[in-house]
Amino acid sequence: MARILILGGNGFIGRNLSAALVSQNHQIVAADRAMVSDSPGIEQKIGNLADASFVHSLFNSLPYDWVIHLACSLIPSSG
């Protein structure tokens, strides 16, 4: 079992990846600027990933085995 931080964890890919990893008994921390839904087994950290103090607090809270970066500042349909 790994402890995994997913940056951008509440987007489409992040939500689906988180659900798949939780089903494999991994501990998931999803960091994003907004909570889309309350997913069982997923710890939510809400804040702005452009805020250095928020990101610093994420990495100082507990050690992670993996960090997955899925965060994006663009809306896909605007491209």
Side-chain angles (χ1 to χ4, degrees), residues 6-36:
I6 301 179
L7 303 173
N10 290 329
F12 177 77
I13 296 172
R15 285 192 319 264
N16 287 287
L17 178 60
S18 295
L21 292 170
V22 164
S23 73
Q24 296 175 4
N25 296 319
H26 295 292
Q27 292 181 314
I28 304 301
V29 176
D32 211 318
R33 62 181 162 229
M35 186 180 337
V36 176

